Amino acid sequence: LDEPITVDELAEKACMSKPTFFRYFKKMVGMSPVDFVNTKRMQLAKQLLTRERKPVGDIGYAVGYKNPSHFIRSFKKYYGFTPKQYQKQILSN
């Protein structure tokens, strides 16, 4: 998850056209490949924020975000709070 993943690469590995891969993936998994990867990255980020006392930017980088601001915005959009807010809440319990 820390590496860039494109639908084009996934479709090529599956020996399918991009639209066919996208359609089959969504039918089998229930979400688009992009949404699936982003969901997995956010789940991993939440685990890392819980287990490790690393800066938020390092956690973002570890799950594939090269820009800390983009990671923070994505995390907040997904969970409703920033990674730092989550980390403070977990560490205070």
Side-chain angles (χ1 to χ4, degrees):
L1 292 175
D2 62 342
E3 305 261 334
I5 301 169
T6 67
V7 176
D8 290 331
E9 292 170 334
L10 295 173
E12 185 179 319
K13 289 186 184 292
C15 300
M16 296 179 181
S17 69
K18 185 176 174 179
T20 300
F21 175 77
F22 206 95
R23 188 172 51 254
Y24 276 101
F25 191 96
K26 190 164 186 168
K27 182 178 179 181
M28 299 304 289
V29 179
M31 64 179 79
S32 75
V34 173
D35 289 341
F36 179 81
V37 169
N38 289 336
T39 297
K40 292 300 179 187
R41 284 182 171 157
M42 288 295 116
Q43 290 170 347
L44 179 57
K46 206 170 182 184
Q47 289 175 3
L48 293 175
L49 287 165
T50 301
R51 290 193 321 238
E52 300 184 19
R53 295 178 185 258
K54 289 185 177 179
V56 168
D58 291 352
I59 300 292
Y61 188 78
V63 297
Y65 287 86
K66 304 305 176 210
N67 182 320
S69 296
H70 185 227
F71 169 64
I72 292 167
R73 281 192 309 273
S74 297
F75 192 93
K76 186 171 184 177
K77 182 179 176 185
Y78 197 84
Y79 289 114
F81 40 82
T82 67
K84 192 64 168 174
Q85 289 169 327
Y86 177 74
Q87 198 174 42
K88 283 182 182 179
Q89 178 186 6
I90 291 301
L91 295 177
S92 68
N93 291 336

